[in-house]
Amino acid sequence: MPPFTLGHFSQVCCQLLNHYFGEIVGQVGAYLLRRGHRPLFDIPCATGLSIAEVKKALAVMIQHNLVKFEASERNNNIAEYSIIHHNVYCLLRYPKYLYMIKRIYGTSEEILLEILLNLGQASASNVIFQSANRLKEANDDSEFSDPSALHKSFLKLAQDNFIIRCPKLADNANIQKVPTLEVEEKEKFTVPHLEIGPIAKLLKENATQLGEHGDSEVIWRVNHERFDVELRNVILVNAAARRVDATAGELYHLILKLWRECSNPDSPTTNALSFNVIKDAVRKNEGSSPVLLEHFEQYLRVLYEDTSSLIIRVGDAGGGQFVLNYSTVFENLACATLDSIVLERFGSKALRLFRLTRIQKFMEQDQMQNIAMIPAKEAKMFTYKLLEHNFLQIKELKKGTSNFAPVKSFILFHVDLPQVARTALEASYKGLFNAMVRQMHDLTDNKRLLDKHARLETLLETLRGEGLPEDELAYLSDSMTAAEKSLVARIHSMNDHLTLGQTQADDTILILESYLKFSSMT
């Protein structure tokens, strides 16, 4: 299956499947990305793989919550498989998940999440057992062999909705050839009673497998939706910190936590918070800085009076009522992102025209060049460049309805923000895919050299620890030529830049996706 038959977003998903799970899973995933819901017997014919390979690939993707199945609409006895696109794309965000959990909670919770991400789905006891083994290998302290601390950490992750129960077989699943899966709303984040004693005993015996355990039928997975909300909040906190300062970012982070507790995260507007509630939360928060405690009212005033609309004041009761309008704030962030894209691609004069047209809604060509104070020739060139790349749209208005006199028409330029955002989103997916392909190409082509360098570095580190003289270490280091060392340094530098580029592209994608999501609700 040639990759050009897929859209840019699907190409990114296909590349991620190939990178993390191998070529066979990538082929099956690419077919499902192209064709949507397909039964099992269609996939081997289209991909050229054996039925056993297809079954194994589907099992791997189901285990990692990347594929779902349901009964066919045409025949209830046949299961059809489909890709969960968002979950596949979230493979790219796993490093962010781990960093976020480590920053919020600590190392133990990070290890639990890493084990769960590696397993895809697992019982709480299994995750705790494997995490304890990992910590035991990394550190010989006896406290790490006691799984009770990890159990508390697991409870924290479930309580804050970062992990969620997988659906189990429905009561009527035995009478259906294609089983249905369901989970009750009240059980989604409830951790059942765990038997910690047997786990601790196995750890003392240095066992590598947990075996049978009481909660083996209660399976957990990562809750991507909760992480999306947290990543979205990180963008908003960073925006507040850049707009004002780090203390304002600290206050905004605290307010976002209060909004999350009292509002639906998918609602375009949060519930109102009073001034007194926010002030009490700042006082009770142990991590509040002295500057924030002293100048709380001034920082809050700066945030709600700022034109970025990070906070909107909607009433005066209780010292003032404050809400967050997600659609407005992400529209402002999307506009800032699009302004940055136009500036980088077309220059400052094109940005002036783009921003002016967006603010004024509809403008004629003469108006644009006069108000923007750009020479007519340059204004026309930049206007039509923006039009060619879908950053500007045109609307034709006709004047006069006579059947005999010629009809005069006016051409107005305007910015259709959702359409421009979708264009930029597609370009971001394309750039992300290109960065991933280039990174994979560089690492694959130079794999032998990189492996040689890694082995040499490991050997030198080991010998240095054993106290080998520096002249002998230098002799061993010379087994790689200066040209090879220079090439390795260049590959590592390029790899770092490409990884950073992928992270920044993902941030842009998250902003544009959030804007499109909330703008469609209003």
Side-chain angles (χ1 to χ4, degrees), residues 202 210-214 216:
L202 288 170
L210 180 60
E212 292 296 325
H213 49 283
S216 58

Side-chain angles (χ1 to χ4, degrees), residues 203-220:
L203 289 169
K204 288 178 181 177
E205 296 171 356
N206 295 325
T208 57
Q209 296 294 328
L210 180 60
E212 292 296 325
H213 49 283
D215 64 319
S216 58
E217 294 185 0
V218 180
I219 307 301
W220 295 83

Side-chain angles (χ1 to χ4, degrees), residues 323-519:
V323 300
L324 168 60
N325 189 322
Y326 282 111
S327 56
T328 302
V329 73
F330 275 106
E331 180 179 341
N332 292 334
L333 287 171
C335 289
T337 301
L338 295 172
D339 288 350
S340 177
I341 293 172
V342 170
L343 177 64
E344 292 296 325
R345 290 187 64 179
F346 307 108
S348 59
K349 292 182 178 178
L351 172 61
R352 203 185 310 168
L353 291 168
F354 176 73
R355 189 179 286 166
L356 180 65
T357 309
R358 192 182 71 238
I359 294 170
Q360 298 292 335
K361 306 298 184 186
F362 291 93
M363 296 192 74
E364 290 186 276
Q365 177 71 64
D366 293 339
Q367 282 182 304
M368 293 170 67
Q369 63 195 39
N370 290 335
I371 298 176
M373 295 184 290
I374 297 175
K377 183 178 179 181
E378 284 187 282
K380 286 180 181 178
M381 179 186 72
F382 286 123
T383 299
Y384 288 102
K385 270 189 177 181
L386 292 170
L387 184 65
E388 179 187 1
H389 290 87
N390 294 325
F391 285 95
L392 289 180
Q393 288 74 40
I394 57 173
K395 186 176 182 67
E396 185 177 2
L397 295 179
K398 294 184 178 180
K399 182 179 180 182
T401 57
S402 171
N403 293 329
F404 305 101
V407 178
K408 185 177 180 181
S409 63
F410 299 92
I411 302 297
L412 299 178
F413 292 89
H414 68 102
V415 176
D416 185 345
L417 199 56
Q419 182 179 332
V420 177
R422 281 188 284 270
T423 301
L425 186 61
E426 196 66 18
S428 299
Y429 286 133
K430 183 178 180 181
L432 177 59
F433 174 72
N434 289 342
M436 293 167 67
V437 170
R438 177 55 192 263
Q439 187 178 40
M440 184 62 66
H441 171 77
D442 286 348
L443 295 177
T444 304
D445 277 12
N446 299 283
K447 186 175 186 302
R448 184 173 295 179
L449 179 61
L450 292 172
D451 288 346
K452 178 183 176 182
H453 179 262
R455 287 195 302 270
L456 180 60
E457 288 296 315
T458 304
L459 177 62
L460 290 173
E461 192 65 31
T462 303
L463 295 176
R464 190 175 287 113
E466 293 176 358
L468 200 69
E470 285 297 326
D471 54 343
E472 294 186 30
L473 291 174
Y475 177 76
L476 285 172
S477 179
D478 290 340
S479 60
M480 283 188 71
T481 64
E484 287 177 330
K485 291 179 181 177
S486 174
L487 179 58
V488 167
R490 194 160 63 247
I491 293 168
H492 285 156
S493 175
M494 177 67 75
N495 184 54
D496 292 342
H497 280 93
L498 290 171
T499 301
L500 179 61
Q502 292 172 37
T503 303
Q504 293 173 338
D506 180 50
D507 290 341
T508 301
I509 287 167
L510 183 59
I511 290 172
L512 296 175
E513 281 183 340
S514 300
Y515 162 66
L516 292 171
K517 171 186 173 181
F518 289 113
S519 66

Side-chain angles (χ1 to χ4, degrees), residues 43-55:
I43 304 174
C45 301
T47 58
L49 300 170
S50 68
I51 189 73
E53 289 175 322
V54 171
K55 285 182 177 179

